[in-house]
Amino acid sequence: MNYTKEQILARCNEFSKNTLMETLKIEYIDAGEDFLTAKMPVNPSVHQPMGLLHGGASVALAESVGSAASFFFINPKEQEVRGIEISANHLKSIREGYVFGTARIIHKGRSLHLWEIKITDEEGNLVSLCKLTNMVLERKKRE
């Protein structure tokens, strides 16, 4: 990556405006050479009917952080990223507080990026383990 931590976090939080990430109150909070971390509050707006964090909200956090992380490995003037597959294993329930999604690169190819995203609670307990595959596409020329 050719960006500072501050540039990465500012860019991610900026392009989240008026999106699902803003609706879920996802905030990017840490970044490094091979990872990106975001947090999301756990409250009734992301609960399933039993009052627990909805698995779909966890997957939305995972895909958001993994896709954003791929963006920093491409040339955004010539390429774009599309998530093509995501899987999740939900291991622990949570009712309130925050969850943190940390994406770490497993494979960085020219056309595919594979990410492992660990979602943890405030104590560092693993809530969900996700895997995301992103495809890197050439940006179509607009006439």
Side-chain angles (χ1 to χ4, degrees), residues 66-81:
S67 292
S70 272
F71 181 81
F72 293 99
F73 289 126
I74 66 166
N75 177 345
K77 292 179 181 175
E78 297 177 8
Q79 300 170 306
E80 52 193 21
V81 174

Side-chain angles (χ1 to χ4, degrees), residues 30-93:
D30 199 9
E33 281 296 315
D34 68 341
F35 77 94
L36 180 63
T37 300
K39 72 177 184 176
M40 180 178 71
V42 180
N43 56 45
S45 69
V46 295
H47 282 171
Q48 40 94 312
M50 299 300 291
L52 302 170
L53 174 62
H54 193 291
S58 295
V59 170
L61 172 60
E63 184 159 358
S64 298
V65 73
S67 292
S70 272
F71 181 81
F72 293 99
F73 289 126
I74 66 166
N75 177 345
K77 292 179 181 175
E78 297 177 8
Q79 300 170 306
E80 52 193 21
V81 174
R82 296 285 184 274
I84 59 170
E85 182 177 7
I86 190 163
S87 64
N89 293 98
H90 305 300
L91 307 169
K92 182 179 186 311
S93 299

Side-chain angles (χ1 to χ4, degrees), residues 105-124:
I105 192 79
I106 295 171
H107 172 76
K108 182 178 72 168
R110 284 190 336 238
S111 60
L112 289 178
H113 294 169
L114 179 61
W115 294 92
E116 176 186 74
I117 302 99
K118 290 184 178 179
I119 299 176
T120 58
D121 64 16
E122 292 172 282
E123 287 78 45

